[in-house]
Amino acid sequence: MRYSKIRSFVGTAILLGIFAAAFFGYPLSGCNYLPVSYIRLFCPVGFIENSLSSHSIAWKLLPGFLIVCTLVLLWGRAYCSWFCPATHAKSKSLGFIAAFLPNSLKRRVGPKWRAARQKIVSKTRLEAKDGIALVLGGAVGIAIFHYPFFCLWCPIGIISRSLVELATHYTLRSELVLLVVPLGLGLLFKSGWKCLCPVGLFRGVVALGNRSVVPSVAPDTCKACGKCEKVCPSEIAVTKTINTMECIKCFKCVDTCPYHAASVRLFRTRR
Ligand code: SF4
Ligand code: SF4
């Protein structure tokens, strides 16, 4: 089965899982808070944000934070494409809308939209490193003003809270409109909201040390057609190098390669 199909299946399970957990009263707040026995797996950015705003460390949450960091070292930024409820909600709603649009319109609008995005991004030249600078500035603000504002516009939190509200009160939260902040700002960045999402960026920085479960290209089979680079949501030149900070392990490159030159390697080899 192709990775995109498995990812779509996982995405449906995640969204339904959050809904069902809230419906049956299980204390799972999206992917932000998951109690496993005595350990509390907490959003790592939420942990840092809490520590900065309260000027203290919630020691009870520290083991969960360290476990999440270890998972990121092992799997890199896989969370962003496989488990993030915001990513799945976005792709499923876009897929739903696209199903009702005529193919002729999609063929006309798609390339125009991509060209317009390219134009904006070539003017702004904003990349992940600019997102990190913004997030660091935000972290200083949180420490000074004692206010954890990342959670206010974090798409993961917004989508999770709305699913919980839907399951418990059969309504959606008006804060859904705040999604325009990450979506709108994401248009200015090279690879969209992944460049400024604090959760993704934190994982990206930890993932710099990641060496396992990576896409890899066999140079003798590769025909240099460039299709893998074209579909990569992080615009990584897959045939040259893998930037573990930006690679979200979606494996679209592997699914797309018509010559089966790209595959998933358990451990990264030097090129
Ligand atoms: S390099 Fe491959 S696995 Fe990584 S983000 Fe790009 S398409 Fe996805
Ligand atoms: S899609 Fe396959 S053949 Fe084409 S450049 Fe990528 S790895 Fe090489």
Side-chain angles (χ1 to χ4, degrees):
M1 201 194 288
R2 286 155 61 99
Y3 290 103
S4 54
K5 283 226 169 98
I6 308 174
R7 246 181 328 105
S8 170
F9 179 75
V10 171
T12 308
I14 295 263
L15 297 174
L16 286 178
I18 296 171
F19 182 89
F23 189 78
F24 292 109
Y26 187 76
L28 163 82
S29 168
C31 294
N32 319 334
Y33 178 78
L34 178 64
V36 181
S37 185
Y38 292 107
I39 302 225
R40 306 279 179 265
L41 292 183
F42 200 66
C43 165
V45 171
F47 175 82
I48 294 171
E49 204 177 28
N50 266 345
S51 307
L52 287 173
S53 60
S54 64
H55 293 190
S56 64
I57 292 175
W59 295 105
K60 224 167 84 179
L61 298 176
L62 187 64
F65 173 75
L66 294 175
I67 288 174
V68 172
C69 291
T70 310
L71 289 175
V72 178
L73 268 177
L74 288 174
W75 294 91
R77 270 185 84 168
Y79 173 89
C80 298
S81 65
W82 287 83
F83 304 112
C84 172
T87 301
H88 288 303
K90 182 181 158 215
S91 67
K92 290 206 182 293
S93 43
L94 285 180
F96 182 77
I97 294 167
F100 291 97
L101 296 177
N103 283 339
S104 56
L105 184 69
K106 279 188 268 185
R107 272 197 297 274
R108 257 185 294 140
V109 172
K112 277 189 185 152
W113 168 254
R114 279 190 288 277
R117 270 267 295 137
Q118 278 295 337
K119 222 170 172 178
I120 296 171
V121 169
S122 64
K123 287 222 161 76
T124 56
R125 295 188 189 177
L126 292 170
E127 298 179 17
K129 59 180 180 350
D130 303 296
I132 290 177
L134 267 176
V135 168
L136 285 178
V140 173
I142 289 170
I144 293 174
F145 297 108
H146 298 261
Y147 190 73
F149 78 88
F150 283 158
C151 284
L152 270 189
W153 60 270
C154 168
I156 303 170
I158 294 174
I159 296 290
S160 303
R161 286 191 290 269
S162 266
L163 280 171
V164 171
E165 189 78 11
L166 190 64
T168 51
H169 296 100
Y170 311 113
T171 177
L172 290 171
R173 289 170 71 99
S174 51
E175 67 168 342
L176 272 175
V177 295
L178 288 176
L179 283 176
V180 296
V181 178
L183 286 174
L185 284 176
L187 293 178
L188 308 175
F189 282 76
K190 190 178 151 218
S191 358
W193 81 19
K194 286 186 300 306
C195 287
L196 82 159
C197 166
V199 178
L201 288 175
F202 171 81
R203 286 169 192 274
V205 171
V206 179
L208 280 170
N210 168 247
R211 295 288 176 274
S212 49
V213 199
V214 284
S216 174
V217 171
D220 40 347
T221 327
C222 173
K223 306 276 188 261
C225 66
K227 287 189 176 161
C228 50
E229 192 175 340
K230 216 167 166 185
V231 295
C232 175
S234 301
E235 296 178 23
I236 294 171
V238 191
T239 49
K240 296 192 185 100
T241 182
I242 291 298
N243 178 343
T244 51
M245 184 182 163
E246 293 188 21
C247 175
I248 55 172
K249 313 268 175 119
C250 61
F251 304 128
K252 278 186 186 172
C253 48
V254 178
D255 278 347
T256 304
C257 178
Y259 306 101
H260 306 289
S263 61
V264 180
R265 284 281 165 93
L266 198 52
F267 292 104
R268 187 177 180 176
T269 47
R270 279 185 181 278
R271 279 204 211 117

